[in-house]
Amino acid sequence: MPELLPDSQEAGGENASEPSLEEGGGTPVETLPEPQRVVDPTRPMVALTFDDGPHAVYTDQILDILEEHGAVATFFEVARNLPKAPEAVRRAADMGCEIGSHTQNHADLVKADADTFRQQIQQADENILKAIGRYPYFLRPPYGDFNDDVRRHVGKPLAFWSVDTKDWKTRNTACTVSAALNNIEDGDVVLMHDIYGETADAVAQIVPSLVQQGYQLVTVSELASYRGGMIPGRSYSQFRPA
Ligand code: NI
């Protein structure tokens, strides 16, 4: 995954044209989900996010840790992987975790032709609907790769991150733990992958440490709704307090 600095919340500025819903992936644009859990907006919050799953073993391990600490996270699923762990995906949704789209086959949307682009978004949306009963609100573009065309046509807010643990690269629990915990701030979105045992082991240290430090672990939607909201076609990497 390339070193691609995502847009900040402020940088969404192609203000000339409203994002057109007709140009979107073809599925309805979901409204920002109403927060289901009690979150204290005056206290610091962080969103842990996991890409490329679900995984038949590690997704459940991560859910166990989250559940034990009253925490939730956001899973950006590669939809072709959904049949590998359908129960884990339903369990995540039932726990109040958020299921986002990471496309059907982990496609690079910048390089995709128009048909592939549409299929990658639509198939993932339909498969996520089948798995959990609602469309994903966010898309996280694979490889963090996007441009203005992707932004205009995707019909969803793009969710990036502000803390990159590089867990896929190091495959090392201690490195992932320190990357997640060092320099973490209120409003950060942390990128990990729920397809590695080293990451699941890291989460077992990261979650209790963040809770101990007073962070509320929330979904990206919760973070957004307490910190200014979202607009389809814009990209977001963090949600600092006002
Ligand atoms: Ni990915």
Side-chain angles (χ1 to χ4, degrees), residues 44-64:
M45 48 186 109
V46 160
L48 301 183
T49 67
F50 298 93
D51 289 9
D52 296 356
H55 186 280
V57 175
Y58 304 131
T59 304
D60 260 320
Q61 276 187 29
I62 289 166
L63 291 173
D64 288 343

Side-chain angles (χ1 to χ4, degrees), residues 9-196:
Q9 201 166 338
E10 296 73 39
E14 81 281 28
N15 46 10
S17 61
E18 283 287 298
S20 159
L21 304 190
E22 286 75 33
E23 286 183 344
T27 46
V29 177
E30 290 279 342
T31 51
L32 191 55
E34 283 292 310
Q36 299 297 312
R37 301 174 325 109
V38 179
V39 176
D40 180 349
T42 66
R43 284 177 46 217
M45 48 186 109
V46 160
L48 301 183
T49 67
F50 298 93
D51 289 9
D52 296 356
H55 186 280
V57 175
Y58 304 131
T59 304
D60 260 320
Q61 276 187 29
I62 289 166
L63 291 173
D64 288 343
I65 297 153
L66 293 171
E67 194 169 57
E68 190 184 330
H69 293 90
V72 293
T74 303
F75 295 85
F76 291 98
E77 314 283 26
V78 172
R80 72 156 177 231
N81 292 339
L82 290 169
K84 294 182 181 174
E87 281 158 25
V89 176
R90 270 194 301 273
R91 179 187 174 199
D94 289 348
M95 279 172 57
C97 290
E98 178 161 28
I99 306 298
S101 172
H102 199 41
T103 74
Q104 177 66 23
N105 295 325
H106 208 267
D108 186 330
L109 294 173
V110 171
K111 295 181 181 147
D113 61 41
D115 282 347
T116 308
F117 182 97
R118 210 172 299 116
Q119 281 168 12
Q120 286 293 320
I121 308 297
Q122 281 179 5
Q123 287 176 2
D125 284 358
E126 295 302 332
N127 286 325
I128 289 169
L129 176 69
K130 264 184 240 157
I132 62 161
R134 64 171 291 141
Y135 289 115
Y137 182 70
F138 290 105
L139 178 92
R140 175 170 280 169
Y143 314 102
D145 202 9
F146 76 105
N147 58 19
D148 281 345
D149 264 356
V150 171
R151 247 207 291 253
R152 260 194 299 277
H153 293 282
V154 82
K156 302 179 195 304
L158 302 180
F160 292 95
W161 55 87
S162 51
V163 175
D164 185 354
T165 63
K166 297 189 166 55
D167 60 336
W168 62 275
K169 196 172 184 182
T170 67
R171 300 287 301 271
N172 179 289
T173 298
C175 290
T176 301
V177 170
S178 56
L181 296 179
N182 293 350
N183 308 315
I184 192 121
E185 284 183 54
D186 188 5
D188 270 327
V189 177
V190 181
L191 171 62
M192 290 182 275
H193 297 78
D194 54 327
I195 53 172
Y196 305 118

